[in-house]
Amino acid sequence: MTTIAYNQVPIPPFMYGTAWKKEATTRLVQLAVASGFRAIDTANQLIHYDEARVGQALKALESEGIERAALFLQTKFTSVEGQDHRTPYDPSADLTTQVRQSFDSSLSHLGTDYLDSYVLHAPFRRRGLGKADWEVWTAMEELYRAEKTKMIGISNVTAGQLAILCEQAQVKPMVVQNRCFAALAWDQEVRRICQAHGIIYQGFSLLTANREVLVNPEIRRIAQALGAGVAQVVFRFAMQIGMLPLTGTTSRQHMEEDLAAERFTLTREELQTIEAIAL
Ligand SMILES: NC(=O)c1ccc[n+]([C@@H]2O[C@H](COP(=O)([O-])OP(=O)(O)OC[C@H]3O[C@@H](n4cnc5c(N)ncnc54)[C@H](OP(=O)(O)O)[C@@H]3O)[C@@H](O)[C@H]2O)c1
């Protein structure tokens, strides 16, 4: 199964996230691909990610016969506010130059000549979009038009910001990546806009942001009846309501369990129960 954005580019249905893996990044990316993940998420932001170590894993995988084209690679442009002193661009340059330099450095870290998806890590302000956001987005649109990336997207975005972007951008985002809180009806407002525009919604922290859901007796009952784990039920729920989940697991067993969530189906009633748990 793949998920297809409005520009007809497909993404594998489950994404492996590489945040906070540090020196284990290379080993874990190799393990994730060996377990069956085909989509990898990273960012050119050394505080939380290590793109170069993802690149080392890709090199090793290629020597084992897993070619670049078989994988979906997504990385992000992170503004100076989200970086420490190790910015992957000249922080005094204009934003268009920063995006170009960051993108080129991502290609070099990952050992590739194109990306599948390039994401703005976060808008510069909490509400609305300002001049800086538009300058960065325009630079990303240029990368898309030049076919250096198959998709562009935005992360940590509010429904209001996404609506403005969809209305005013020359190229609408193909992906949105947000932390998904069950208490916000699993980010329903943002997901609704995504659905209306054919944008793929990627949900992260599905487990870590929703600890109250994981211990809820109703979801436990659903999991038990299916012979599945609660984490699997959350991931399957996410897929069935139209999300593309991310997992950042460090365990081989959990990688296999997370991917196996595709193998069972929740009923409409079960989906409604889970949807309402934290409301
Ligand atoms: N755009 C952004 O600003 C942003 C922010 C945060 C994250 N992200 C992306 O999203 C990715 C995932 O982040 P995340 O926050 O969702 O995940 P995460 O924090 O890396 O954690 C997933 C947690 O769930 C556990 N887990 C996974 N599968 C499980 C299973 N089957 N049973 C029990 N526990 C399980 C993991 O434990 P084990 O390791 O023990 O399995 C881990 O503690 C990141 O790596 C990054 O790529 C993006």
Side-chain angles (χ1 to χ4, degrees):
M1 195 185 109
T2 49
T3 313
I4 297 179
Y6 74 83
N7 67 342
Q8 304 309 313
V9 174
I11 309 191
F14 214 141
M15 190 170 269
Y16 184 69
T18 62
W20 315 300
K21 305 293 181 284
K22 300 183 179 164
E23 309 71 49
T25 303
T26 303
R27 178 180 62 80
L28 288 169
V29 170
Q30 285 179 260
L31 188 60
V33 173
S35 303
F37 286 93
R38 288 294 176 268
I40 308 291
D41 178 73
T42 183
N44 206 348
Q45 181 205 32
L46 277 167
I47 303 178
H48 298 302
Y49 298 82
D50 195 332
E51 269 186 345
R53 282 193 161 100
V54 174
Q56 283 166 21
L58 300 177
K59 207 168 169 189
L61 287 162
E62 193 142 23
S63 69
E64 290 162 19
I66 300 187
E67 290 178 7
R68 161 70 184 92
L71 300 173
F72 184 98
L73 297 184
Q74 174 171 282
T75 191
K76 310 182 192 88
F77 170 78
T78 311
S79 68
V80 171
E81 285 80 1
Q83 305 273 4
D84 58 15
H85 63 284
R86 298 166 292 174
T87 46
Y89 46 77
D90 174 1
S92 65
D94 59 80
L95 288 167
T96 304
T97 306
Q98 289 183 14
V99 172
R100 287 182 191 152
Q101 289 180 350
S102 191
F103 186 88
D104 287 346
S105 133
S106 289
L107 292 186
S108 153
H109 288 152
L110 296 168
T112 183
D113 57 4
Y114 73 97
L115 287 175
D116 296 280
S117 174
Y118 197 51
V119 172
L120 170 56
H121 212 146
F124 284 77
R125 35 158 92 180
R126 289 200 172 184
R127 283 181 191 198
L129 296 176
K131 195 168 166 285
D133 297 302
W134 286 112
E135 184 172 345
V136 166
W137 191 256
T138 303
M140 290 173 56
E141 287 178 334
E142 278 167 22
L143 293 169
Y144 174 72
R145 285 202 202 88
E147 297 184 10
K148 291 181 172 183
T149 180
K150 294 185 180 181
M151 295 184 173
I152 51 175
I154 188 160
S155 182
N156 299 299
V157 72
T158 66
Q161 290 170 325
L162 183 59
I164 295 169
L165 191 60
C166 288
E167 217 169 273
Q168 296 177 21
Q170 290 195 19
V171 181
K172 283 186 304 187
M174 290 93 197
V175 302
V176 158
Q177 186 183 96
N178 265 6
R179 179 167 281 119
C180 188
F181 291 100
L184 296 177
W186 304 89
D187 214 7
Q188 193 181 55
E189 271 191 70
V190 173
R191 285 190 295 112
R192 229 179 242 150
I193 299 173
C194 289
Q195 202 177 11
H197 290 271
I199 297 167
I200 294 170
Y201 178 96
Q202 303 175 356
F204 65 83
S205 300
L206 282 159
L207 305 180
T208 48
N210 301 304
R211 296 194 191 277
E212 75 285 16
V213 172
L214 307 181
V215 295
N216 177 278
E218 298 214 68
I219 201 166
R220 284 179 167 248
R221 181 186 49 76
I222 293 169
Q224 203 170 17
L226 285 162
V230 174
Q232 288 179 308
V233 171
V234 170
F235 288 132
R236 188 58 185 149
F237 163 79
M239 290 176 194
Q240 283 188 238
I241 63 165
M243 250 186 248
L244 190 155
L246 282 113
T247 177
T249 178
T250 54
S251 129
R252 176 192 281 265
Q253 190 195 327
H254 289 164
M255 285 180 188
E256 285 166 8
E257 281 175 18
D258 295 353
L259 284 167
E262 261 202 279
R263 297 199 202 122
F264 59 86
T265 305
L266 299 164
T267 64
R268 186 199 288 240
E269 200 179 58
E270 288 167 339
L271 294 177
Q272 284 168 350
T273 303
I274 299 167
E275 220 153 9
I277 278 176
L279 297 181

